[in-house]
Amino acid sequence: FDSQGNLYFVNYVRNGTLGKMTPQGTVGIWCETGGQVNGLKVDSAGYVIGADAGARRIIRVHPSGNPIEVLTDKFEGKPYLSPNDVCLDLAGNIYFSDPSNETPEAPIGSVYRIDLTKKVTRLATGLKYPNGLAVTPDQKQLIVAETMTNRILSFDLRADGSLGPAKTLYQFPNSSVDGIMFDEYDRLWVARWLNATVDVITLDGKLVAEIPAGGSKVTNLCFWGKSVYVTVAEGHSIHRLDVGVAGKAYTK
């Protein structure tokens, strides 16, 4: 969502588009990306940041839907694998996950940061399909959903912007984990892919809720008001769950 209550979502009607639903309920194609975007966030200026897996890049789209700025499409001269999701911290830095269909024996997934000068830094690599990600509300940790292992990882964010070693925040017993986001009580909401739920965990590693999402292949989520909106790929649909909880602001 942007600050006006417009909802943006990927692959509306056909792959490669970004859809938009206004607060009045009007839905249409908002942008033709020329790639195929997965995760989205709206920054403090109202621009839409997208992880474009199809074109292997991170894009920033003007609030009107055009032009599209390519923030990065290579690191150290090499193209990305398949950028999957994005998040922001309160300073405006952009974090993105870059997984591939690697084997568990040879994991090559990475997480990167784009800072305010547009410098790109690889923060972690050797991950087993890093997917959704979020900075904790206190800005002290980066949380990453590792899909291949069904677990949520936490990394301390050091003062210089680098990450500490990976720690397991929560291990799910079944498949799997996708998009994540914090609520107003600093609890992490997790899209549970084939579990057909959105699960809620605390930062001390306790599962406190498991909410049916309305279908399988639950990919991502976001908050507006006291509801969470969930993308359910099995039904090619977005579901609103009225949960009585608001999301945590991730832009100033």
Side-chain angles (χ1 to χ4, degrees):
F1 282 94
D2 64 17
S3 61
Q4 285 76 48
N6 295 296
L7 175 63
Y8 299 89
F9 46 94
V10 303
N11 303 324
Y12 179 57
V13 180
R14 63 182 179 275
N15 289 341
T17 67
L18 300 182
K20 175 181 174 181
M21 184 175 74
T22 69
Q24 295 75 36
T26 302
V27 183
I29 292 173
W30 175 69
C31 175
E32 300 274 2
T33 66
Q36 186 173 334
V37 177
N38 280 344
L40 298 174
K41 289 290 186 299
V42 181
D43 69 15
S44 59
Y47 286 72
V48 176
I49 310 296
D52 189 344
R56 298 201 283 181
R57 61 188 184 174
I58 303 298
I59 60 173
R60 185 173 186 254
V61 187
H62 188 275
S64 66
N66 187 61
I68 297 174
E69 176 188 4
V70 178
L71 294 178
T72 179
D73 60 2
K74 293 181 180 65
F75 182 74
E76 295 181 345
K78 296 180 180 180
Y80 296 108
L81 301 171
S82 182
N84 187 285
D85 210 348
V86 293
C87 76
L88 301 166
D89 63 19
L90 291 179
N93 297 300
I94 300 166
Y95 301 79
F96 66 95
S97 56
D98 187 36
S100 74
N101 293 317
E102 66 267 23
T103 65
E105 295 76 25
I108 57 173
S110 298
V111 172
Y112 296 85
R113 181 189 65 242
I114 307 170
D115 70 16
L116 301 184
T117 69
K118 300 184 181 178
K119 177 186 176 183
V120 181
T121 304
R122 184 162 54 202
L123 300 178
T125 194
L127 299 173
K128 298 178 180 180
Y129 208 98
N131 199 325
L133 66 177
V135 176
T136 54
D138 65 7
Q139 307 295 284
K140 292 183 178 179
Q141 296 175 78
L142 178 67
I143 308 299
V144 178
E146 193 177 51
T147 295
M148 194 174 288
T149 62
N150 308 326
R151 64 180 177 168
I152 302 296
L153 300 175
S154 68
F155 299 84
D156 290 338
L157 274 169
R158 295 169 172 154
D160 64 358
S162 65
L163 298 184
K167 295 173 284 188
T168 299
L169 175 64
Y170 194 83
Q171 176 69 62
F172 287 99
N174 57 347
S175 183
S176 188
V177 292
D178 205 318
I180 59 177
M181 201 167 186
F182 281 98
D183 71 14
E184 59 184 321
Y185 299 108
D186 298 352
R187 300 174 302 196
L188 188 71
W189 292 58
V190 183
R192 292 293 324 283
W193 185 230
L194 298 181
N195 201 51
T197 62
V198 175
D199 291 5
V200 186
I201 61 176
T202 63
L203 281 172
D204 58 358
K206 294 183 175 65
L207 178 68
V208 296
E210 188 177 51
I211 304 167
S216 186
K217 299 185 179 178
V218 185
T219 58
N220 221 324
L221 56 96
C222 64
F223 287 90
W224 184 256
K226 297 287 186 176
S227 299
V228 61
Y229 289 70
V230 185
T231 47
V232 179
E234 180 184 56
H236 305 280
S237 55
I238 300 172
H239 298 187
R240 189 189 76 226
L241 310 178
D242 297 327
V243 292
V245 176
K248 196 78 172 186
Y250 56 87
T251 58
K252 288 184 177 180

